[in-house]
Each structure stands twice: as C-alpha cells, then as structure tokens.
Amino acid sequence: MRKIITIKDVINSKFAIKEEKGRILYECLRNLLEKNEKVVLDFKDIIASTTRFFNVSIAILYKDFPENIVDNIEIINTNSVLNSQLEVSKNGAKEFYRIK
C-alpha cells in the first residue's frame, strides 16, 4: 500500500527546520516502514528546510532499516535546495552507519 505523507500536515508547519519537528516526522516514518508501507513524502507548501531537519527525520532511518528501504521513500514537490540538503544528509548517514 502507498502512503502519502504531507510534511506540512505532519509537522504542523511550513518550515522544515527544527529538530523537534524532524523527530515528529521520524516517528511517523519509522512506524510506517515497520509496517512495510510504501512511503511518499510530499513537501508541498514547505518554504524553508535545513539539513539538520533531514538528519533527524530521514537520514537516521538508515540506522533502523536497510539502505534500500530508506532509498525507496519517494520524495515529491521539492526544489533544488531541499533536494541538495536531503542528499547531503542521506549521504552522510549512509557513510556514518556503514562505519559503525
């Protein structure tokens, strides 16, 4: 089953910047991935983001799940800045959790 998560609704903000908001998204994603849900993250209406947000919401999932599971999370309605931040975060986490 495919589950579309609208980030703005989950974190109750159009700013994906705070660590606490990232942790809210992480819990949501972890619960869905544990149920083997196909996850789509919709960043519609998000107007600002930080790498830190992605570190605590998405990248940390590499600690809990195989790389291919996290890599299969579909991301929609983004921009080049958000994409860049997400890639930096994911690549750092992959390297970090591979070493551990």
Side-chain angles (χ1 to χ4, degrees), residues 2-36:
R2 188 170 178 230
K3 180 74 174 172
I4 298 175
I5 305 299
T6 304
I7 304 302
K8 182 182 172 192
D9 294 344
V10 171
I11 66 172
N12 197 31
S13 176
K14 42 188 182 171
F15 302 100
I17 56 176
K18 292 187 176 181
E19 184 174 333
E20 68 190 52
K21 299 292 187 178
R23 291 189 194 286
I24 293 168
L25 178 59
Y26 165 75
E27 289 299 326
C28 176
L29 291 172
R30 188 173 56 87
N31 290 334
L32 291 170
L33 293 176
E34 285 175 348
K35 296 175 186 171
N36 295 314

Side-chain angles (χ1 to χ4, degrees), residues 36-48:
N36 295 314
E37 296 276 0
K38 169 76 173 138
V39 177
V40 178
L41 296 180
D42 187 351
F43 282 87
K44 182 180 179 214
D45 297 326
I46 295 296
I47 60 173

Side-chain angles (χ1 to χ4, degrees), residues 50-66:
T50 63
T51 303
R52 182 69 183 145
F53 175 84
F54 294 118
N55 287 345
V56 299
S57 61
I58 298 171
I60 198 169
L61 292 169
Y62 289 103
K63 174 183 64 130
D64 304 321
F65 298 95

